[in-house]
Amino acid sequence: METRELRYFVAVAEELHFGRAAQRLGIAQPPLSRAIQQLERRLGAALLDRTSRTVTLTEAGSVLLAEGRAALDAVDAADRRTRRAALAATGRPGLVLVTKAGASSELLAKLLDAYAAEPGAVPVDVTLCGPGEQERHLREGRADVALLHRPFDSTAGLDTEELSRESQVVVLPAGHPLAGRAHVHMADISALPGLPLPRWPDRDGTYPPGPGPQVRDHTQLLQLIALGRACAVSPESSRAQLHGDLAAVPVLDAPTVTTVIAWPPHSRSRAVADLIRTATRLWPPHAGMMTNRPSTTATNSTTTGLSRAGGVRT
């Protein structure tokens, strides 16, 4: 199966209309129809149910749509990574690190400063994105390494090293009655009148139902909290970004946030290996379980993870 055929099929499957799919692909409709028919013959399965008015996916077509999207994403990611590797080979190396805007700011600054002081360090471009987007950047090959935060980000299929664990706080307007408390519980937060938790967009751009305001970035969220329109549960490290009109109170039963540095398991970049080695030197895997310090276990062993990133097999 050729990638061209997959792109043709995915376009038709997403549009459910041959004319719109052909326009999207920039080709005429007849060769598109022939390509889909040829693909069906080769697979020995009908992928689409066609009538004079509608096009719908068969069960086999639904499977190929999901698998085809994943395959095309992998091909596109491979293209991006290969192009960056080619730039490195011609003397223009560099790394792209993606992280959520407003998250792990102190940790990131320490990591970048320490890595820049290393012999052979290459320039690091930092991409700041919205919640949940850094994982997609990494999987799509738009970044070489990412800072992810469990349990909010998935690390399945990625190599990771754990950097820190921290508790969470609720961010409130400074004058709120709860702001003077030593600590609260999640039940206290869910019962707050007039201060709902915010709603972040899902991957498709839509918002889940609920009373909270729709937000897209950290700055917008903090302004809404200061105006008394919302509250938020955030990692303890977010205290450093709060102004005088906001207060943070520990939430005893909020889930622990684990920050990890993640990279694709097939990476053979020496620069990625060096950056990860710098991170694990700053935050050793066995340094303990204190707030903003690493846990006693890491997702992958340091030796194995670094060896894979640097292209040395163990």
Side-chain angles (χ1 to χ4, degrees):
M1 190 182 305
E2 299 178 1
T3 56
R4 175 183 61 85
E5 293 175 313
L6 272 181
R7 293 191 192 279
Y8 283 6
F9 171 74
V10 168
V12 174
E14 289 179 344
E15 299 291 344
L16 294 177
H17 191 282
F18 276 87
R20 289 195 298 268
Q23 185 176 18
R24 167 176 156 181
L25 293 165
I27 62 173
Q29 184 173 333
L32 175 60
S33 298
R34 289 195 295 270
I36 299 300
Q37 291 170 356
Q38 181 180 1
L39 179 60
E40 289 178 315
R41 286 195 297 270
R42 183 179 302 125
L43 293 175
L47 302 173
L48 302 165
D49 284 328
R50 309 165 179 82
T51 70
S52 59
R53 291 182 176 272
T54 63
V55 176
T56 58
L57 287 170
T58 65
E59 184 175 351
S62 296
V63 171
L64 184 59
L65 175 58
E67 298 291 339
R69 282 170 170 163
L72 292 175
D73 286 346
V75 169
D76 290 341
D79 177 81
R80 296 185 191 102
R81 294 189 184 105
T82 302
R83 291 178 186 276
R84 280 208 297 276
L87 288 176
T90 58
R92 290 178 291 170
L95 288 177
V96 178
L97 184 152
V98 63
T99 186
K100 184 177 74 174
S104 304
S105 300
E106 183 179 354
L107 183 150
L108 178 59
K110 288 181 179 179
L111 174 59
L112 294 177
D113 287 345
Y115 175 69
E118 291 290 314
V122 302
V124 179
D125 291 328
V126 177
T127 299
L128 301 178
C129 64
E133 294 179 1
Q134 65 270 47
E135 176 198 344
R136 188 171 73 249
H137 277 66
L138 189 59
R139 296 186 190 279
E140 292 178 353
R142 301 178 186 277
D144 302 292
V145 66
L147 293 182
L148 303 179
H149 306 88
R150 296 196 300 253
F152 310 114
D153 301 316
S154 171
T155 58
L158 299 171
D159 280 348
T160 63
E161 288 289 349
E162 186 173 310
L163 302 183
S164 71
R165 288 189 179 188
E166 57 184 314
S167 56
Q168 295 198 78
V169 297
V170 60
V171 182
L172 301 162
H176 193 273
L178 287 185
R181 296 261 297 263
H183 55 74
V184 296
H185 292 84
M186 289 299 297
D188 300 321
I189 299 168
S190 61
L192 284 177
L195 287 181
L197 293 168
R199 290 180 293 145
W200 296 95
D202 293 328
R203 292 193 175 193
D204 61 1
T206 62
Y207 286 86
Q214 298 178 356
V215 296
R216 286 192 172 273
D217 60 64
H218 195 65
T219 301
Q220 180 187 21
L221 173 59
L222 294 183
Q223 186 171 0
L224 285 169
I225 297 173
L227 292 172
R229 302 305 175 94
C231 68
V233 178
S234 301
E236 172 76 26
S237 57
S238 65
R239 285 180 182 269
Q241 304 171 41
L242 303 184
H243 300 295
D245 53 357
L246 298 172
V249 180
V251 184
L252 295 184
D253 55 348
T256 298
V257 177
T258 302
T259 299
V260 303
I261 188 168
W263 67 98
H266 49 71
S267 175
R268 294 295 182 268
S269 167
R270 175 56 60 185
V272 169
D274 290 343
L275 180 65
I276 296 161
R277 188 175 292 107
T278 300
T280 55
R281 189 183 71 248
L282 289 172
W283 298 280
H286 302 288
M289 299 291 291
M290 298 177 292
T291 299
N292 291 329
R293 294 297 298 168
S295 72
T296 56
T297 59
T299 305
N300 298 305
S301 71
T302 305
T303 302
T304 302
L306 292 179
S307 296
R308 279 199 294 266
V312 180
R313 298 186 180 273
T314 57

